[in-house]
Amino acid sequence: STAELFSKTVDFYLSLGLSTVRQTTHDRPQRDIAHNACVVSEAWLHLFADRLENSITLRIIHTTGDGIESKGDTDKIRIGLATLEIKTIKEILTSGGHAFTVHADPKVCSDRIVTHDPLGNDVFFTLQANSFSIPPSPEVKPLKISEPGTPIEFSLETRTPQKNIGILTSGGDAQGMNPCVRAVVRMAIARNCRPFFIYEGYQGLVDGGAKIKEAKWTDVSGFLALGGTMIGTARCKAFRELEGRRTGVLNLIKNGIDALVVIGGDGSLTGADRLRAEWPEHVQALEQAGLITKENADKYRTLMIVGMVGSIDNDLASTDMTIGACSALERICESVDAILSTAMSHQRAFVVEVMGRHCGWLALNAAISTGADYLFIPEAPPSKDDWEASMCKTLKASRDAGKRTSLVIVAEGAIDRHLNPIKAEYIKDILSTRLGYDTRVTILGHVQRGGAPAHFDRFLGTMQGAEAIEAILRAKPDTPSLVIGMLENKITTQPLKEAIELTGQVAQSIEGKDFARAITLRSSAFSKQLKSYKEIANFNPDSKMKLPEHLRLRIAILHAGAPAGGMNTATRSAVRLCLNRGHTPLGVHNGFPGLMRGEITEFDWLSVDGWTIAGGSKLGTNRDQPTPQLGAVAYQLQKNGIQALMVIGGFEAYTAVLELARNRSQYPAFNIPMVLIPATVSNNVPGTEFSLGSDTATNVIVQATDMIKQSASSNRRRVFVIEVQGGNCGYLAVVAGLSGGSTTVYTPEEGVDLSRLQRDISHLRSRYTKELGRSEGRITLCNEKASQIYSTDMIAKIYEAESGGFYGARTSVLGHLQQGGTPSPLDRCRANTMAVDSINWLQARCWEGMDVPNEDNIRLPADKLKRKYFPPVYSSSSESAAMLGVIGSEVRFTPVEDLVMQTDFKRRVPRAIWWSAARQLIDILSGVGVDIEHGGCTAVYKSCAIDLTADDLMRLYGRTRRLSKLGGSPTAV
């Protein structure tokens, strides 16, 4: 009878350890609306697990009549239970007379048990939680009993891993190491390799045992937002000895590791390359000692090594940026920005010491980013022996001009030209005794290494980590050890030995007092930054840079479009450079409408004090174009004697400059040099890879996603769809998605359709069903114009509607948060470089436009005037209206008219992009199309790294200083 079947089913589950929460027999049948049946009896049983998400509740009901109709096998319930007591389960099933089958589980060297409850539902018992452990419904329905079918067979596809790859971090920790480790682990699994953590650096390699462990996909969840290194680092004396390295080789072979990824400084990478060079000798010695078999010796004849530089000093000579440098600069700027507020209150002087024993990159960029008054770095010591007097004179001039504070940045390895150390305390004593300033010293120390990594370090670490795996898979036995770097905004692979030798030459050049060579070995932007800093850092009324009267210019600066971080920094740098050279800088308030109304003021030195760290637009900005009142614009340019125009802004600024240039024949006042500095969070202006404000906005998005993901993770099963800005350009969504760990991103370039949403929902359901209480919060970034139909809100609703109850979905719109806040250090440094280059370019074009040819014997048509009747500066060529672009680390000026063919004006975006490689990685690293359990991936990753040889490096850092491999245009969409 059905009553007997009901009792047997309840007893079956009670015997397995479930507890009765509620069991009742109703006095009269109760109508169950959900199943359209009358319930006579019901039992609620619960299995309490170590995690709430692993628990299961069953409702077993006894209905009147024929019960609920079964639709066949597809209507069966499959219940998976993970337990360590497989033997006990066998005994319980045997004593209860329940038939079961046993199947070997090759993954865990144990058995699986398959049985059926009295209703015919499948029940599985496994040692580890897997996809079969997930009940698709919390309810067991009464079904018609049929004859037991064929026992279920389990077949797992087996693949031979391509490589077993060890991963270690060594030397000083650096923010960005964890994102790099995450990328290496997940890319290795996606490329059907087995990654292994080697804990505590080389010490773990020597110790072996539990310090070498296979890494799983979920082991690196949450790594993106964590500073330091989660797999540890330690100094290892044993590894410096031959026997210690031989022990490390034995431990690698024991674990089957045939490739090694090392993330650390030049010392760590040197150690790795030495291990590679000695490898055949170690293998032979281990075989002769009987510690490994001949088979293993033959199998592990070579070890491939790929290094990545994790160093906050940014001290590897052959790369523009190392992992951790950008985050350390963020920490410094946060601290100094805070110091300046108290210094301002008390009119104090501060001497701030930052890290950099042989490299002044941190100190230089911190000085630029914070507006420091004086700087000491190892590569460029003071040129005079009595540098103390020169420093005091410079700082006093700024104070006399009205400045309330003095800030000196000193690298820990700063020296004078005789190689004597320059220490912060000594500088303090000089300022206190000679100038009488109330001076304080702040040594930032290890705070520079701490905190969550900035967006750029996450992005760089992730891209380089993925390329490290690709380099290993491309390598041949004779491929030298490689280091992954970045030059001209392109990921590179370089021979490790030569890269380290170049780095060593920096210290040698400093010790040999060849400071010019030391600067040359730094990144291509280093010397330019240093020169520009010296020009604008201080007020110099009697500066040698002052130009003759007839070469001095009146230069107007105008903001247009939406506000973006770095606008004010660029303005400050331009103004102070103009003043030191004798030019007259003019500020145009409130964009082109302000220019039409004549809202123009002359800048002085102090009027831009503090603008370095100010977000938004101090001059005021809007999206209005000059087109309706071109005559008014021309009138004000002529009335105020403006001889050059600097426009700072986004796409609206680009179209405005283009409009002015195209109307030069109608308005002679427009025949002046004009330059556009791109500044827009959307990064959607043609002719440049980076716009001011885009790095600041990306950092805001990444910080917001970290907090939102924390909320989602606390809930365990929640997905947030986050809307970001960008217009029709997906740059923000892609780079922030990669840095923030987005599950996927929706961009206008790709669009959104149902098939894409179905794929993403299927992936989400798959992950949440397999994580069993270890579920993490997930985010998806959606560009504001990714689709006209599928809005952010609609995507979230579709996510939730199709979730099957496994997760919920919420939305978050970041909005104008992305345009505000303090500019990031990268945006500040770029703003400074762009402003200085723009003034230099305007200056040169103006002087060219001052040439007046001898036209005495020339007869012109009646409607044309001779040059001598035009203003002193007159430049009508198309080349004199240009966009300043940053391509790699090079600054280029492109006539705005030449950019027309590169622009999609309808969508307001450039026709080419450079960040497509990042888009590939987002889906792969979130597991879309990846067999996470067994390895392999259906998605194809196209490597973007450029392979450099030793000869390439010698040319790049020799006299040539250029390399054709690093040239070329961005990838077309």
Side-chain angles (χ1 to χ4, degrees):
S1 69
T2 55
E4 183 181 1
L5 186 57
F6 171 80
S7 297
K8 286 184 177 180
T9 305
V10 172
D11 291 340
F12 172 80
Y13 285 105
L14 289 176
S15 70
L16 297 178
L18 279 76
S19 302
T20 303
V21 176
R22 176 172 175 259
Q23 184 170 348
T24 183
T25 299
H26 301 292
D27 294 335
R28 55 182 179 179
Q30 300 291 314
R31 188 71 180 172
D32 191 308
I33 299 176
H35 300 100
N36 193 27
C38 292
V39 178
V40 176
S41 301
E42 61 182 303
W44 292 81
L45 308 181
H46 187 80
L47 178 64
F48 293 92
D50 56 349
R51 291 187 179 92
L52 179 62
E53 296 290 335
N54 288 21
S55 301
I56 183 173
T57 301
L58 303 179
R59 182 190 181 207
I60 306 171
I61 57 177
H62 168 208
T63 63
T64 59
D66 293 333
I68 302 168
E69 189 67 25
S70 170
K71 297 177 182 177
D73 288 343
T74 58
D75 208 26
K76 277 188 176 183
I77 304 301
R78 292 185 172 184
I79 302 173
L81 300 174
T83 177
L84 298 176
E85 305 296 336
I86 292 293
K87 183 178 179 181
T88 303
I89 294 297
K90 291 180 183 177
E91 294 172 354
I92 291 172
L93 294 176
T94 301
S95 62
H98 305 291
F100 62 90
T101 56
V102 179
H103 307 270
D105 188 340
K107 282 188 67 179
V108 295
C109 301
S110 182
D111 293 333
R112 289 196 189 101
I113 298 175
V114 181
T115 187
H116 308 281
D117 69 10
L119 296 176
N121 299 304
D122 300 324
V123 184
F124 307 89
F125 299 90
T126 64
L127 188 63
Q128 288 188 346
N130 54 41
S131 58
F132 295 102
S133 304
I134 303 297
S137 167
E139 186 174 307
V140 175
K141 304 174 184 177
L143 303 174
K144 291 185 177 178
I145 308 252
S146 57
E147 292 298 320
T150 306
I152 299 174
E153 296 291 339
F154 292 85
S155 62
L156 295 175
E157 182 182 357
T158 57
R159 301 184 183 95
T160 303
Q162 296 190 65
K163 290 281 184 180
N164 293 336
I165 302 172
I167 308 158
L168 66 84
T169 53
S170 179
D173 62 301
Q175 308 97 321
M177 280 184 166
N178 286 323
C180 189
V181 170
R182 171 183 178 269
V184 171
V185 168
R186 293 195 169 181
M187 197 64 179
I189 293 172
R191 298 290 270 121
N192 194 29
C193 299
R194 293 175 66 201
F196 288 80
F197 286 147
I198 301 176
Y199 292 96
E200 313 305 337
Y202 288 118
Q203 187 65 55
L205 183 61
V206 174
D207 293 344
K211 289 189 177 179
I212 301 179
K213 175 186 173 185
E214 184 173 357
K216 302 299 183 183
W217 186 275
T218 55
D219 290 341
V220 292
S221 296
F223 268 37
L224 275 172
L226 300 176
T229 164
M230 295 302 291
I231 60 174
T233 179
R235 300 191 183 279
C236 181
K237 292 183 179 179
F239 192 76
R240 298 175 185 174
E241 305 297 330
L242 183 68
E243 287 305 316
R245 293 192 292 276
R246 186 158 296 169
T247 302
V249 171
L250 177 61
N251 287 327
L252 290 175
I253 293 175
K254 281 181 179 179
N255 287 277
I257 295 172
D258 49 7
L260 192 61
V261 173
V262 179
I263 308 167
D266 56 351
S268 301
L269 300 184
T270 300
D273 192 52
R274 185 174 184 179
L275 181 69
R276 164 78 183 272
E278 298 173 348
W279 183 267
E281 174 191 339
H282 290 310
V283 171
Q284 184 179 4
L286 292 171
E287 182 185 4
Q288 290 174 352
L291 296 175
I292 60 173
T293 64
K294 184 178 186 306
E295 181 183 0
N296 278 336
D298 293 338
K299 184 177 180 181
Y300 298 104
R301 285 296 177 192
T302 60
L303 174 74
M304 183 58 198
I305 287 181
V306 173
M308 284 169 283
V309 189
S311 168
I312 67 169
D313 292 341
N314 196 26
D315 55 356
L316 186 74
S318 59
T319 186
D320 289 340
M321 192 75 80
T322 59
I323 297 168
C326 185
S327 299
L329 182 60
E330 291 256 5
R331 296 296 95 77
I332 294 170
C333 290
E334 288 169 1
S335 301
V336 175
D337 290 351
I339 286 171
L340 286 175
S341 63
T342 184
M344 182 82 68
S345 302
H346 297 275
Q347 298 190 59
R348 281 181 176 144
F350 269 85
V351 183
V352 179
E353 182 184 294
V354 302
M355 288 188 174
R357 188 171 296 112
H358 298 294
C359 181
W361 185 90
L362 273 181
L364 172 59
N365 282 270
I368 292 171
S369 300
T370 59
D373 300 287
Y374 220 79
L375 169 70
F376 294 95
I377 58 175
E379 298 94 334
S383 58
K384 300 178 181 179
D385 288 339
D386 188 15
W387 58 265
E388 296 93 341
S390 177
M391 176 184 67
C392 290
K393 180 182 177 180
T394 300
L395 298 185
K396 187 176 184 302
S398 294
R399 286 290 184 108
D400 291 345
K403 198 163 188 246
R404 291 177 58 85
T405 64
S406 298
L407 174 64
V408 179
I409 301 287
V410 54
E412 63 177 331
I415 52 175
D416 64 18
R417 64 179 187 153
H418 301 296
L419 307 184
N420 299 310
I422 297 177
K423 295 299 182 182
E425 285 292 339
Y426 179 69
I427 297 170
K428 172 199 167 184
D429 293 341
I430 294 296
L431 298 183
S432 299
T433 56
R434 296 194 187 185
L435 295 175
Y437 292 167
D438 181 6
T439 308
R440 299 287 189 273
V441 171
T442 298
I443 299 176
L444 294 181
H446 285 76
V447 72
Q448 298 162 84
R449 295 189 184 276
H455 140 68
F456 190 82
D457 279 327
R458 302 185 194 197
F459 183 86
L460 181 63
T462 299
M463 293 294 295
Q464 290 189 347
E467 289 298 339
I469 298 300
E470 295 301 304
I472 287 172
L473 295 179
R474 287 196 304 267
K476 298 177 181 178
D478 59 346
T479 301
S481 300
L482 298 175
V483 62
I484 311 295
M486 188 184 74
L487 289 168
E488 306 295 334
N489 199 33
K490 297 176 177 66
I491 303 297
T492 62
T493 63
Q494 309 166 13
L496 189 152
K497 182 179 178 181
E498 284 73 15
I500 297 299
E501 286 176 354
L502 280 173
T503 303
Q505 288 180 28
V506 177
Q508 294 169 14
S509 298
I510 293 173
E511 290 173 6
K513 301 182 182 180
D514 188 355
F515 302 112
R517 174 60 176 162
I519 291 175
T520 301
L521 290 168
R522 293 300 179 205
S523 66
S524 57
F526 189 89
S527 60
K528 181 187 290 187
Q529 286 181 312
L530 182 60
K531 181 181 178 181
S532 67
Y533 169 77
K534 290 180 177 180
E535 281 196 284
I536 66 174
N538 299 104
F539 179 59
N540 295 304
D542 302 320
S543 172
K544 295 179 181 179
M545 295 187 296
K546 282 280 196 287
L547 297 166
E549 288 285 346
H550 71 283
L551 295 180
R552 298 181 185 180
L553 306 166
R554 291 176 63 82
I555 301 175
I557 304 171
L558 179 150
H559 296 176
M567 279 182 158
N568 295 320
T569 311
T571 303
R572 172 192 178 273
S573 296
V575 167
R576 293 199 163 177
L577 183 59
C578 284
L579 290 172
N580 278 343
R581 290 183 179 178
H583 301 310
T584 301
L586 303 169
V588 180
H589 299 270
N590 305 313
F592 282 100
L595 179 58
M596 298 170 197
R597 296 189 294 265
E599 297 173 0
I600 302 170
T601 58
E602 185 175 328
F603 282 117
D604 61 30
W605 184 266
L606 283 180
S607 60
V608 292
D609 195 38
W611 283 29
T612 304
I613 63 176
S617 167
K618 289 279 193 178
L619 284 175
T621 185
N622 52 64
R623 300 177 185 271
D624 293 352
Q625 295 289 291
T627 308
Q629 296 289 337
L630 288 174
V633 173
Y635 169 74
Q636 293 294 344
L637 291 176
Q638 188 171 343
K639 175 185 175 182
N640 290 276
I642 294 172
Q643 297 169 307
L645 179 63
M646 176 190 291
V647 181
I648 305 174
F651 203 89
E652 294 84 2
Y654 163 53
T655 55
V657 172
L658 182 62
E659 192 68 21
L660 295 180
R662 286 179 169 178
N663 282 277
R664 281 174 160 172
S665 61
Q666 300 296 319
Y667 300 95
F670 295 166
N671 288 281
I672 58 174
M674 294 180 280
V675 67
L676 170 62
I677 294 180
T680 167
V681 301
S682 301
N683 201 28
N684 65 330
V685 181
T688 185
E689 292 177 356
F690 295 105
S691 299
L692 297 183
S694 59
D695 184 74
T696 302
T698 309
N699 273 298
V700 170
I701 296 170
V702 170
Q703 290 166 11
T705 56
D706 284 349
M707 291 185 282
I708 292 170
K709 189 183 286 187
Q710 190 177 63
S711 169
S713 295
S714 300
N715 185 269
R716 293 296 186 190
R717 293 188 174 186
R718 181 164 289 173
V719 179
F720 272 87
V721 183
I722 303 173
E723 182 179 297
V724 299
Q725 292 184 337
N728 285 308
C729 178
Y731 172 83
L732 280 183
V734 169
V735 296
L738 188 65
S739 300
S742 181
T743 298
T744 190
V745 296
Y746 299 111
T747 64
E749 290 84 358
E750 294 177 316
V752 186
D753 56 28
L754 277 177
S755 61
R756 169 71 188 282
L757 291 172
Q758 287 172 340
R759 184 206 74 171
D760 296 336
I761 290 167
S762 175
H763 170 68
L764 287 171
R765 291 185 62 166
S766 171
R767 294 311 309 144
Y768 278 113
T769 57
K770 292 178 180 179
E771 286 172 353
L772 285 176
R774 299 183 302 276
S775 302
E776 61 182 48
R778 287 182 166 84
I779 59 167
T780 293
L781 294 192
C782 181
N783 172 278
E784 59 188 344
K785 293 189 177 180
S787 172
Q788 293 181 346
I789 305 299
Y790 298 103
S791 65
T792 302
D793 189 55
M794 180 176 286
I795 290 173
K797 288 179 178 178
I798 293 174
Y799 271 18
E800 183 146 12
E802 298 297 324
S803 68
F806 291 115
Y807 59 85
R810 300 289 187 273
T811 62
S812 180
V813 180
L814 299 185
H816 287 78
L817 281 173
Q818 298 157 84
Q819 294 180 5
T822 302
S824 71
L826 277 189
D827 272 334
R828 300 186 208 181
C829 292
R830 286 172 182 160
N832 175 77
T833 299
M834 289 179 170
V836 171
D837 284 337
S838 294
I839 293 298
N840 289 335
W841 184 87
L842 287 172
Q843 192 175 257
R845 299 292 83 73
C846 284
W847 292 343
E848 289 173 2
M850 288 180 176
D851 291 337
V852 180
N854 186 351
E855 299 173 311
D856 292 341
N857 299 321
I858 297 176
R859 296 177 65 92
L860 295 176
D863 61 342
K864 292 196 178 289
L865 292 174
K866 291 184 177 181
R867 170 66 182 88
K868 63 182 179 181
Y869 296 111
F870 286 101
V873 174
Y874 186 84
S875 185
S876 59
S877 69
S878 62
E879 286 77 12
S880 64
M883 161 87 73
L884 179 152
V886 177
I887 308 296
S889 58
E890 180 187 0
V891 173
R892 298 181 190 175
F893 291 89
T894 308
V896 290
E897 197 63 53
D898 292 355
L899 293 174
V900 171
M901 296 303 294
Q902 301 177 30
T903 308
D904 183 340
F905 284 95
K906 183 178 179 181
R907 300 180 62 245
R908 295 162 52 89
V909 292
R911 296 185 185 276
I913 61 174
W914 60 266
W915 36 267
S916 56
R919 177 64 190 92
Q920 302 176 65
L921 275 180
I922 291 174
D923 288 346
I924 294 174
L925 297 184
S926 66
V928 177
V930 179
D931 186 344
I932 292 172
E933 283 75 27
H934 307 110
C937 181
T938 58
V940 177
Y941 175 71
K942 183 179 179 182
S943 173
C944 63
I946 296 173
D947 297 325
L948 301 182
T949 64
D951 289 340
D952 290 333
L953 291 182
M954 294 306 108
R955 285 198 299 272
L956 188 61
Y957 290 92
R959 293 183 178 181
T960 307
R961 299 294 290 173
R962 297 286 300 164
L963 201 60
S964 59
K965 287 183 179 181
L966 299 175
S969 57
T971 306
V973 179

